[in-house]
C-alpha cells in the first residue's frame, strides 16, 4: 500500500540532509539536522501501519519501506534522539563533517528498520557499519585503530548475516519478510544453519559475550558528541534485526541475553574510564532486550522494545553527561574527578535522572520496561536449572544484572559528582548541552510516571489478555518493593566492594586474548604463505635455469655428470627440471584432450 507518505523512503531524505550538513554553514547545517530529525519523528508517528513501498532490486522483489508497530517505534525513538543528539553535537563544538557522518549513520539506521525484506535490511546494515566507522575515524588519533577493529568486527558480522540470508533464500525462495504481502508463510530466518549464522552475525552488533570487545574498545575513543550517536543505533538496530530473524524467540538467545546483563554490569563495575563504563552497560542493558526477544512471547517482545525505547533515552543522556564532564574538565577517569555536583548542578541532575532510569528505580522509565521483561521471564519461560525462591534461572540473571547496574552507577555518581572535591573551577553545561540533556531527562521521567504513554507505542498491549499471557501493571506493591530491594542491594554491594574496587587497575577482557591471537595468527599465516610462495618460486627458477643450461650446452652437462657423483646439485637440478617439464607436458595434454 503506497501513499503520499510512502512515495519516498525517509532514508533518502535523511541522506540528502546529511550531505547538506557537511557543506552548509555550521549553524545552518545543524539547524537543518534538528528540523529533519523532528520531521522524521512526525512522519513515523503519523504514517499508517501496513504502508509499504515495493520495487525490484537486482531482479528480486524488494520492499524499501515497511511500516508496522515495530518499525514505527524504532522510527519514533530514532527521531527523538536525533533531535537531541544534533543539538548536543552543535553545542559541543563538533565539526560539520563529523555531524554529517553521524547523520548519515542516523539515515542508514532508518533505512534498516523500515526495510521490508532481508536484502534491503542487509544493504543498510552494511551502510551503517561504513558510516559509523567513518564517524569514529574522523576523530583520528586513538580512534583510528579502534575504528579498524570496529570495521573488522562488523564486516565479519555482516558477512555471516549475508550467508544466513542467502541460505534462507535458498529454502524459502524469497527475501521478503513474512509480515509483508507476498512474503513467505513462516516469518524469520529458517532454522538450522541459516538461524545459527544469523544469530552470530547479528550477535556481533548486539554484543554477544565473546563478540562484544569492539564496543568498550570503540565508543570511548571519538569525540564526545560522536559517542552519543554511537551508543544508540548499532546495538538497537541489532535488537530489531534479532526480532526479525527470531520472531518466535529461542531459548539460547534468551539465556545469552541474561548472561549479557550480568557480564556487562560486572565489567562496567571494574571500569574507571567513564565512557568505557557506559559502553559495558550498553551490553548489559541490551541483554535485557535480547532476553525479551529470546523468550518469544507477546509480553517479552513488548518489553524488549519498550526497553529499546527507554534505553536510547537514558543511555544517550548518560553519554551526554559524561561528555559534558570531559568537555569541561578534559578528564575521562573517575579517579581524577570528584565533587562536581556543586559546580555542575544541571549535569549532575541529568546524570541522576539517567542513572536512576537505567538502574530501574521506581518513577523512572527503566523501571517500567525492565519490569515487563522480568515479568515475561517469570511467566513465559521455562524454570531452567536454577529454580530458587520461585524465580526462573533467567529471572535470576536479570535480577543480578540489575544489582550490578545499581552498583555501577552509584560508583559513577559517587566519584564524579558527590564525593571529594575537584581541584579547580568548572563551568556547567552550556545552554545547548543543557537543553538537550534536560529535554531527554524530562522524557525519562515522563515515560516512567505515565507508563500508559509508553504502552501506547508498543507492538502489543501489555495491559490486556490476549495478546499477553499475563497482564502487566507497573506500579504494584510487589514491583515497587522489588525495585527498592534492588537499589538497597546495590548500595550495600557498592559499600562492600568500594575499597577493593578502588585498588583495581584495568581488568583484562576477552580482547586481551583475541587481539594477540588474531594479530600473531594473521601474521604467521601471511609469513607462511609468503615463504611457501618464495620456496616454490626458487624451485621453479632453479628448474628453469637447469632446463635452459641443458638445451644450450648438452655436452658440458653430460661431461659434468660423468665427473660428479649422484648427489651433485647439478644432477638434482636436472632431475627437478625433468619433473617440471613432465608436469607441464601432462597438464598441456589434459587441457587439449
Amino acid at each position: 500500500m503506497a501513499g503520499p507518505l510512502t512515495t519516498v523512503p525517509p532514508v533518502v531524505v535523511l541522506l540528502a540532509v546529511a550531505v547538506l550538513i557537511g557543506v552548509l554553514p555550521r549553524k545552518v547545517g545543524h539547524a537543518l539536522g534538528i528540523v529533519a530529525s523532528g520531521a522524521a519523528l512526525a512522519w513515523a508517528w503519523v504514517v499508517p501501519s501496513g504502508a509499504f513501498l515495493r520495487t525490484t532490486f537486482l531482479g528480486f522483489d524488494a520492499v524499501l519501506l515497511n511500516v508496522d508497530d515495530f518499525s514505527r517505534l524504532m522510527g519514533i525513538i530514532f527521531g527523538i534522539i536525533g533531535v537531541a543528539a544534533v543539538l548536543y553535537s552543535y553545542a559541543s563544538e563538533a565539526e560539520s563533517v563529523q555531524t554529517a557522518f553521524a547523520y548519515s549513520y542516523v539515515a542508514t539506521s532508518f533505512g534498516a528498520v523500515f526495510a521490508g525484506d532481508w536484502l534491503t535490511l542487509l544493504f543498510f546494515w552494511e551502510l551503517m557499519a561504513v558510516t559509523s566507522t567513518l564517524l569514529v575515524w574522523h576523530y583520528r588519533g586513538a580512534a583510528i585503530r579502534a575504528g579498524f577493529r570496529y570495521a573488522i568486527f562488523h564486516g565479519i558480522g555482516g558477512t555471516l548475516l549475508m550467508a544466513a540470508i542467502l541460505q534462507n533464500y535458498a529454502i524459502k525462495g524469497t527475501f521478503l519478510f513474512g509480515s509483508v504481502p507476498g512474503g513467505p508463510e513462516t516469518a524469520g530466518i529458517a532454522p538450522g544453519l541459516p538461524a545459527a549464522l544469523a544469530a552470530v552475525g547479528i550477535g556481533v552488533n548486539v554484543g554477544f559475550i565473546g563478540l562484544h570487545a569492539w564496543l568498550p574498545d570503540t565508543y570511548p575513543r571519538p569525540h564526545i558528541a560522536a559517542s552519543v550517536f554511537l551508543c544508540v543505533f548499532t546495538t538497537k538496530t541489532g535488537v530489531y534485526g534479532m526480532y526479525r530473524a527470531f520472531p518466535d524467540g529461542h531459548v539460547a538467545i534468551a539465556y545469552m541475553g541474561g548472561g549479557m546483563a550480568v557480564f556487562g554490569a560486572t565489567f562496567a563495575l571494574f571500569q574507571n574510564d567513564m565512557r568505557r563504563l557506559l559502553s559495558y552497560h550498553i551490553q548489559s542493558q541490551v541483554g535485557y532486550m535480547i532476553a525479551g526477544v529470546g523468550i518469544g512471547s507477546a509480553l517479552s517482545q513488548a518489553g524488549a522494545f519498550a526497553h529499546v525505547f527507554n534505553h536510547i533515552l537514558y543511555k544517550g543522556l548518560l553519554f551526554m553527561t559524561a561528555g559534558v564532564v570531559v568537555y569541561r574538565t578534559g578528564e575521562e577517569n573517575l579517579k581524577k574527578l570528584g565533587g562536581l555536583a556543586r559546580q555542575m548542578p544541571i549535569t549532575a541532575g541529568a546524570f541522576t535522572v539517567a542513572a536512576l532510569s537505567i538502574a530501574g528505580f521506581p518513577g523512572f522509565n527503566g523501571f517500567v520496561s525492565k519490569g515487563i521483561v522480568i515479568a515475561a521471564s517469570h511467566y513465559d519461560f521455562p524454570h531452567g536449572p536454577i529454580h530458587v525462591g520461585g524465580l526462573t534461572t533467567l529471572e535470576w540473571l536479570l535480577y543480578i544484572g540489575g544489582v550490578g547496574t545499581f552498583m555501577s552507577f552509584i560508583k559513577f555518581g559517587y566519584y564524579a559528582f558527590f564525593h571529594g572535591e575537584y581541584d579547580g573551577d568548572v563551568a556547567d553545561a552550556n545552554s545547548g548541552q543543557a537543553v538537550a540533556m534536560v529535554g531527554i531527562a524530562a522524557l525519562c521521567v515522563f515515560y516512567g510516571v505515565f507508563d500508559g504513554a509508553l504502552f501506547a507505542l508498543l507492538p502489543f498491549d501489555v495491559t490486556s489478555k490476549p495478546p499477553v499471557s499475563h497482564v502487566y501493571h507497573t506500579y504494584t506493591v510487589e514491583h515497587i518493593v522489588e525495585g527498592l530491594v534492588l537499589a538497597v542491594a546495590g548500595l550495600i554491594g557498592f559499600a562492600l566492594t568500594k575499597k577493593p574496587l578502588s585498588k583495581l587497575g584495568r581488568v583484562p577482557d576477552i580482547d586481551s586474548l583475541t587481539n594477540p591471537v588474531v594479530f600473531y595468527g594473521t601474521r604467521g599465516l601471511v609469513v607462511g604463505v609468503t615463504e611457501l610462495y618464495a620456496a616454490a618460486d626458487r624451485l621453479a627458477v632453479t628448474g628453469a635455469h637447469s632446463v635452459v643450461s641443458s638445451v644450450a650446452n648438452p655436452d658440458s652437462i653430460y661431461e659434468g655428470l660423468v665427473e660428479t657423483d649422484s648427489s651433485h646439485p647439478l644432477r638434482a637440478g636436472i632431475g627437478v627440471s625433468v619433473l617440471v617439464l613432465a608436469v607441464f607436458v601432462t597438464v598441456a595434454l589434459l587441457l587439449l584432450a
Side-chain angles (χ1 to χ4, degrees):
M1 180 180 68
L5 291 176
T6 58
T7 304
V8 179
V11 59
V12 175
V13 178
L14 295 177
L15 281 174
V17 170
V19 173
L20 291 174
I21 291 173
V23 298
L24 289 173
R26 186 170 180 275
K27 182 178 289 188
V28 175
H30 282 78
L32 178 62
I34 293 171
V35 171
S37 296
L41 164 62
W43 175 88
W45 202 289
V46 303
V47 66
S49 290
F52 65 93
L53 181 61
R54 194 166 191 155
T55 187
T56 301
F57 180 65
L58 300 178
F60 300 103
D61 288 335
V63 177
L64 302 181
L65 180 66
N66 175 50
V67 182
D68 62 13
D69 291 336
F70 292 92
S71 57
R72 182 197 303 281
L73 179 143
M74 300 299 292
I76 289 172
I77 190 57
F78 282 179
I80 291 172
I81 201 66
V83 171
V86 175
L87 174 59
Y88 184 87
S89 188
Y90 176 77
S92 301
E93 301 177 9
E95 296 178 10
S96 294
V97 174
Q98 176 183 297
T99 306
F101 285 143
Y103 210 79
S104 65
Y105 179 35
V106 175
T108 52
S109 301
F110 264 89
V113 299
F114 281 104
D117 67 277
W118 286 109
L119 200 61
T120 303
L121 184 143
L122 179 66
F123 176 77
F124 288 113
W125 187 277
E126 294 296 80
L127 279 181
M128 283 174 57
V130 172
T131 52
S132 54
T133 299
L134 292 173
L135 176 59
V136 174
W137 276 344
H138 181 265
Y139 198 58
R140 304 173 186 88
I144 296 292
R145 180 174 290 184
F148 271 113
R149 286 193 289 265
Y150 178 91
I152 290 169
F153 264 99
H154 289 288
I156 293 171
T159 301
L160 293 174
L161 178 58
M162 179 173 64
I165 290 170
L166 293 176
Q167 289 275 340
N168 187 66
Y169 177 83
I171 294 170
K172 296 185 177 181
T174 180
F175 288 113
L176 298 179
F177 291 161
S179 59
V180 304
E185 292 183 5
T186 57
I189 293 289
L193 179 60
L197 290 170
V200 177
I202 300 171
V204 172
N205 276 42
V206 300
F208 274 7
I209 298 172
L211 304 176
H212 69 281
W214 61 269
L215 208 163
D217 181 49
T218 306
Y219 287 5
R221 308 286 186 177
H223 190 278
I224 56 172
S227 293
V228 175
F229 287 95
L230 290 166
C231 78
V232 170
F233 295 100
T234 295
T235 49
K236 268 46 109 229
T237 303
V239 174
Y240 174 85
M242 193 69 79
Y243 163 74
R244 290 297 184 192
F246 300 94
D248 298 321
H250 194 286
V251 63
I253 292 174
Y255 277 122
M256 174 58 80
M260 289 165 62
V262 175
F263 183 93
T266 301
F267 268 80
L269 192 58
F270 296 153
Q271 308 308 311
N272 290 310
D273 182 295
M274 290 185 291
R275 288 193 286 173
R276 191 170 171 85
L277 183 154
L278 296 179
S279 297
Y280 272 110
H281 259 297
I282 295 175
Q283 182 195 27
S284 178
Q285 294 300 299
V286 169
Y288 288 85
M289 306 166 207
I290 293 300
V293 171
I295 293 168
S297 68
L299 182 63
S300 71
Q301 290 171 350
F305 279 84
H307 210 51
V308 166
F309 188 94
N310 286 336
H311 180 266
I312 288 173
L313 293 175
Y314 57 65
K315 183 59 70 174
L317 181 55
L318 284 166
F319 269 95
M320 288 181 194
T321 58
V324 171
V325 172
V326 175
Y327 179 76
R328 292 304 193 189
T329 67
E331 293 289 351
E332 296 267 9
N333 195 317
L334 289 170
K335 291 183 177 180
K336 297 180 180 179
L337 300 170
L340 292 176
R342 289 185 288 275
Q343 300 183 71
M344 306 178 75
I346 296 174
T347 304
F351 166 81
T352 302
V353 170
L356 292 172
S357 297
I358 193 173
F361 195 78
F364 299 87
N365 62 348
F367 177 71
V368 180
S369 51
K370 269 189 181 179
I372 302 174
V373 176
I374 291 173
S377 72
H378 182 80
Y379 294 107
D380 297 340
F381 198 68
H383 290 164
I386 304 174
H387 184 221
V388 180
L391 305 179
T392 67
T393 303
L394 180 58
E395 199 174 0
W396 272 113
L397 290 172
L398 299 179
Y399 278 132
I400 293 169
V403 173
T405 302
F406 269 108
M407 292 174 66
S408 301
F409 285 97
I410 292 170
K411 172 183 176 178
F412 192 129
Y414 177 80
Y415 285 113
F417 294 107
F418 304 112
H419 170 72
E421 186 172 349
Y422 184 72
D423 184 18
D425 294 329
V426 182
D428 205 347
N430 61 38
S431 57
Q433 292 169 331
V435 168
M437 292 191 301
V438 170
I440 297 299
L443 289 176
C444 290
V445 175
F446 174 79
Y447 285 112
V449 174
F450 302 100
D451 56 350
L454 177 63
F455 295 162
L457 300 173
L458 300 182
F460 301 109
D461 182 3
V462 299
T463 63
S464 66
K465 286 185 178 182
V468 297
S469 61
H470 178 82
V471 173
Y472 180 77
H473 298 291
T474 304
Y475 288 104
T476 63
V477 173
E478 180 182 0
H479 284 165
I480 293 173
V481 169
E482 176 185 290
L484 295 176
V485 167
L486 290 178
V488 171
L491 191 61
I492 294 172
F494 175 71
L496 294 175
T497 59
K498 181 166 70 74
K499 187 172 182 178
L501 284 174
S502 66
K503 298 178 181 179
L504 278 180
R506 180 161 181 170
V507 178
D509 196 352
I510 191 170
D511 57 341
S512 63
L513 173 65
T514 57
N515 285 351
V517 168
V518 171
F519 175 77
Y520 289 109
T522 304
R523 188 173 72 171
L525 179 63
V526 171
V527 171
V529 171
T530 303
E531 289 301 315
L532 181 61
Y533 177 82
D537 181 66
R538 288 192 298 269
L539 185 64
V541 170
T542 301
H545 179 72
S546 299
V547 171
V548 171
S549 298
S550 301
V551 173
N553 194 2
D555 292 338
S556 64
I557 298 301
Y558 176 75
E559 293 171 359
L561 287 175
V562 171
E563 295 174 359
T564 58
D565 59 28
S566 59
S567 64
H568 194 279
L570 190 56
R571 180 180 291 276
I574 291 178
V576 171
S577 301
V578 172
L579 178 62
V580 171
L581 185 61
V583 171
F584 176 78
V585 172
T586 303
V587 172
L589 290 174
L590 289 173
L591 292 174
L592 292 172

